[in-house]
Amino acid sequence: MVNFIKKNLLGSLREFRNRFINPIQNGQCADSTLKDVRIMKKRAHVLHAVLAGCVQRRDYSELTKFLPPKHEYVLSVRISPLQYKMYRYYLDHVASEGSKTKTGAHLFKDFQVLSQIWSHPWCLHLSNEHKKTNVYKKNQFQKTAQLINVETIVAESGLKENEGKELNDNGNRTMSTDVPQIVLEGAKAACSPRSQSPNQAWYKHLLTERDVRIMEHSGKMMLLFEILRMAEDLDDKVLVFSQSLISLNLIEEFLAASHEARDPLSSLKNGSWIKNVDYYRLDGSTSASLRKKWADVFNNTSNFRGRLFLISTRAGSLGINLVAANRVVIFDASWNPSYDIQSIYRVYRFGQLKQVFVYRLLAQGTMEEKIYDRQVTKQSLSFRVVDHQQIKRHFTHFELTELYTFEPDMLDDPNSRKSKRPTPILPKDSILAQLLQIHKDWIVSYHEHESLLDHKQEEELSEAERKAAWAEYEAESNPAKLPDDSSQDTLQKKTNEQLLELLNKSRTKVSVNFLNLQKMRAHTIEDYILRLVSKLKQDVFFD
């Protein structure tokens, strides 16, 4: 983008990588050497100054003085025994099965499966059923297309057969009628259900039908429904964001089960979960007109029933205003931090009258925690370069790159790795305070997201260090070098006569230098020895 605004300001991609990307990334980790950290700070300072003339950035901090406070909590959620068993089994028997390539060769496929496990194990079954439905629809479409094609072949063959019979009556030739029958039988065989190999799911022996109703198989689900119950008591509305449509489907199933199990004598609102009355859903299949309709209904101050909005992160993190809610649950972490940040801004914007509380639910010890760590690192990089801030380095290079490490903190295993993050004593949110008491076994630890992105004034560069940073950068950027492309552009603009004159001048210079070189006398080693002895004798004489 900078190159589009101001061409060559940052040099070529190779130059930019060597001058900025590599030095800054090398100093980003908790285990970076002091030298790498020092270089990183200097290059981040230079890059910020270079960009100052063409990049202006304003984030939500400009609005904080006009809006109520926002508190963003990250909850490390303990996985259940079933989740542990399935996660471990997948890593040991499926992710590495028959793969001669290094671990992570199928990263995004593994991420899809593992994310379903840490959301709720039953998501695996729902995903598998969804795939079967899609395969069935595809097969039906292909079957229809093949039969239409066969009918066309048979019709054409029938015409040819009739022609062949006419010719036979005249005693000329006969036509075979076996071809269309063979084609027809082949097409039917291809479309037969037997020809489709059944999808053998790897988790079948670990999951049963009764697991669909057991919410305790997922700590995330348990905490989500507790947040919904407590928010209802406070008359607060909630947004729930998830990347997975399967997760949203399962949440809807649990809402329906909760609605059926409620006390029939209770009030209409209390514990009621009727779609498009008590809760709404927005995903990629929702039309623009319905998006606006449900958003307006949800934001209506007289609507006391509608208190939950289930939203697909990709479809609903932009372009929608839902300030009636003041609590946001990010059910799963995104690879791109901007998706989660934009999700929060659906409520934290002009028009918000209440304090905003955000809950990021992370499956502790899993790949999801690593993804969140990468989010923080990416945001830290942005703050360093664009906002000229110094952020503490929280994660080692190993922690950021080894996505497949699985070290959950299990209650029944004293040898399991415990969370390294210190837990604040008292949260500012009454709901989180209650969760820590009621469901302390599900919450391994929690912290405020902003605490990882605080500006550390003690790590700022001194004035002398800033000057040294510029001197090092300019020395590296302007080395002695051969004529560049600009010189070649100048030559291309000259006429043939001018080029010939330059060529003759160059030949003259070469000839003169060659003659001078010939006039130089070449001395033998013996001559140098005699000269050295003579010089030494003179030095001794004068001493």
Side-chain angles (χ1 to χ4, degrees):
M1 290 189 291
V2 172
N3 202 39
F4 177 75
I5 301 292
K6 213 165 185 180
K7 196 170 181 63
N8 293 326
L9 176 66
L10 301 175
S12 66
L13 178 59
R14 181 179 179 183
E15 291 170 333
F16 182 67
R17 189 180 303 281
N18 292 333
R19 294 172 188 168
F20 296 109
I21 295 178
N22 294 337
I24 291 175
Q25 285 186 341
N26 289 341
Q28 281 261 98
C29 301
D31 56 348
S32 299
T33 64
L34 292 176
K35 180 181 178 182
D36 285 341
V37 172
R38 188 167 60 251
I39 294 173
M40 177 270 293
K41 290 181 181 179
K42 289 181 177 180
R43 285 306 161 92
H45 165 71
V46 171
L47 183 55
H48 173 79
V50 169
L51 295 175
C54 60
V55 174
Q56 290 185 342
R57 171 174 145 88
R58 299 291 182 270
D59 64 3
Y60 77 93
S61 60
E62 302 290 330
L63 306 177
T64 51
K65 54 188 174 184
F66 306 107
L67 293 173
K70 173 176 72 72
H71 305 285
E72 193 171 341
Y73 300 107
V74 181
L75 279 63
S76 293
V77 183
R78 182 174 280 110
I79 61 174
S80 68
L82 178 61
Q83 286 174 312
Y84 176 86
K85 185 191 297 184
M86 298 183 73
Y87 200 107
R88 182 83 269 165
Y89 183 89
Y90 183 84
L91 291 181
D92 293 343
H93 299 92
V94 183
S96 58
E97 183 183 17
S99 176
K100 296 181 180 179
T101 56
K102 63 180 181 180
T103 303
H106 306 288
L107 172 61
F108 288 101
K109 176 188 172 185
D110 295 339
F111 167 75
Q112 291 288 340
V113 175
L114 295 174
S115 64
Q116 290 164 6
I117 296 174
W118 68 57
S119 294
H120 189 288
W122 193 251
C123 288
L124 284 170
H125 177 74
L126 294 179
S127 177
N128 191 48
E129 292 300 309
H130 179 70
K131 289 177 182 176
K132 284 183 178 179
T133 303
N134 287 341
V135 169
Y136 175 77
K137 289 179 180 178
K138 182 179 178 181
N139 289 342
Q140 287 297 106
F141 176 79
Q142 291 177 343
K143 179 178 178 180
T144 304
Q146 287 174 333
L147 289 176
I148 291 172
N149 189 37
V150 167
E151 288 175 1
T152 304
I153 294 173
V154 171
E156 292 177 353
S157 179
L159 291 174
K160 292 180 180 179
E161 182 184 350
N162 290 335
E163 292 175 3
K165 285 182 178 179
E166 290 177 3
L167 291 171
N168 189 38
D169 291 338
N170 293 328
N172 292 328
R173 60 191 173 106
T174 59
M175 291 286 293
S176 172
T177 60
D178 295 335
V179 176
Q181 184 65 24
I182 294 171
V183 172
L184 183 60
E185 290 176 357
K188 287 181 178 179
C191 298
S192 172
R194 292 187 192 177
S195 64
Q196 310 296 331
S197 59
N199 185 5
Q200 298 294 336
W202 59 270
Y203 58 84
K204 288 293 187 182
H205 67 288
L206 299 171
L207 205 59
T208 61
E209 286 286 342
R210 59 191 179 92
D211 292 319
V212 65
R213 293 281 182 175
I214 304 177
M215 192 183 294
E216 288 78 4
H217 284 329
S218 169
K220 284 190 177 189
M221 286 289 180
M222 293 291 294
L223 295 178
L224 170 62
F225 276 77
E226 281 297 320
I227 291 171
L228 294 179
R229 182 183 62 80
M230 295 177 186
E232 182 179 338
D233 294 339
L234 296 173
D235 289 327
D236 287 347
K237 296 189 178 186
V238 182
L239 306 186
V240 176
F241 286 90
S242 176
Q243 294 185 91
S244 169
L245 298 180
I246 299 297
S247 295
L248 294 180
N249 293 343
L250 187 58
I251 292 172
E252 284 197 87
E253 289 190 19
F254 279 121
L255 286 173
S258 175
H259 179 80
E260 292 174 4
R262 75 189 186 106
D263 184 359
L265 300 178
S266 61
S267 63
L268 285 175
K269 175 186 172 183
N270 191 18
S272 173
W273 292 112
I274 301 173
K275 190 171 185 179
N276 297 336
V277 176
D278 299 295
Y279 78 93
Y280 311 93
R281 173 168 172 164
L282 188 157
D283 56 38
S285 64
T286 308
S287 64
S289 58
L290 281 179
R291 283 168 65 104
K292 186 179 185 310
K293 176 185 175 181
W294 296 135
D296 291 343
V297 171
F298 185 79
N299 286 329
N300 191 332
T301 54
S302 63
N303 180 10
F304 298 104
R305 289 283 299 271
R307 58 197 184 278
L308 170 63
F309 220 128
L310 303 178
I311 304 175
S312 165
T313 304
R314 296 291 182 91
S317 61
L318 288 172
I320 188 169
N321 185 339
L322 295 169
V323 291
N326 69 312
R327 296 185 185 271
V328 179
V329 178
I330 300 178
F331 196 72
D332 40 39
S334 305
W335 288 95
N336 189 335
S338 63
Y339 287 131
D340 293 347
I341 294 170
Q342 289 298 329
S343 299
I344 297 166
Y345 295 155
R346 299 313 96 213
V347 301
Y348 193 61
R349 56 199 299 143
F350 284 128
Q352 182 56 254
L353 303 176
K354 293 183 174 183
Q355 287 193 71
V356 172
F357 298 96
V358 181
Y359 312 94
R360 294 172 179 256
L361 305 183
L362 300 179
Q364 188 270 334
T366 67
M367 186 185 289
E368 186 175 38
E369 215 173 30
K370 306 290 184 183
I371 293 169
Y372 170 75
D373 293 349
R374 288 190 173 198
Q375 279 194 10
V376 173
T377 303
K378 289 176 181 178
Q379 284 187 266
S380 301
L381 175 61
S382 171
F383 286 2
R384 283 195 180 96
V385 173
V386 186
D387 297 327
H388 208 216
Q389 296 183 7
Q390 294 299 333
I391 312 297
K392 184 179 178 181
R393 298 167 301 282
H394 299 278
F395 315 110
T396 65
H397 179 74
F398 177 83
E399 289 172 331
L400 292 171
T401 54
E402 295 303 315
L403 293 170
Y404 284 83
T405 53
F406 182 46
E407 299 171 330
D409 181 347
M410 304 300 292
L411 283 176
D412 56 353
D413 184 2
N415 298 321
S416 64
R417 184 177 178 181
K418 304 304 176 184
S419 175
K420 65 178 181 179
R421 291 193 179 102
T423 299
I425 298 174
L426 186 65
K428 298 174 183 178
D429 175 30
S430 61
I431 286 184
L432 180 55
Q434 291 182 63
L435 287 176
L436 290 171
Q437 291 181 347
I438 301 171
H439 293 288
K440 58 184 179 181
D441 288 348
W442 285 116
I443 302 175
V444 179
S445 64
Y446 85 93
H447 65 273
E448 292 203 41
H449 178 70
E450 300 295 336
S451 66
L452 301 185
L453 299 169
D454 289 339
H455 174 50
K456 306 295 181 184
Q457 290 186 339
E458 65 273 13
E459 291 200 17
E460 288 185 350
L461 295 176
S462 65
E463 190 61 33
E465 288 174 322
R466 293 180 182 183
K467 290 180 180 178
W470 273 106
E472 292 172 11
Y473 171 69
E474 289 173 354
E476 182 180 317
S477 302
N478 302 306
K481 56 183 180 181
L482 296 172
D484 57 10
D485 295 339
S486 59
S487 301
Q488 296 178 6
D489 292 340
T490 305
L491 289 174
Q492 289 177 354
K493 294 178 182 177
K494 291 185 178 296
T495 63
N496 290 339
E497 291 77 10
Q498 291 173 324
L499 291 172
L500 185 60
E501 184 180 354
L502 281 174
L503 181 61
N504 290 333
K505 286 182 180 180
S506 300
R507 284 174 175 170
T508 303
K509 288 181 181 179
V510 170
S511 299
V512 171
N513 291 329
F514 184 72
L515 290 173
N516 290 334
L517 185 63
Q518 284 184 323
K519 291 177 182 178
M520 292 176 63
R521 182 182 173 187
H523 298 284
T524 63
I525 295 178
E526 288 77 9
D527 291 337
Y528 282 113
I529 293 174
L530 290 174
R531 283 170 175 259
L532 182 60
V533 171
S534 175
K535 183 70 170 60
L536 290 173
K537 287 180 179 179
Q538 290 178 6
D539 293 341
V540 172
F541 175 77
F542 284 115
D543 289 342

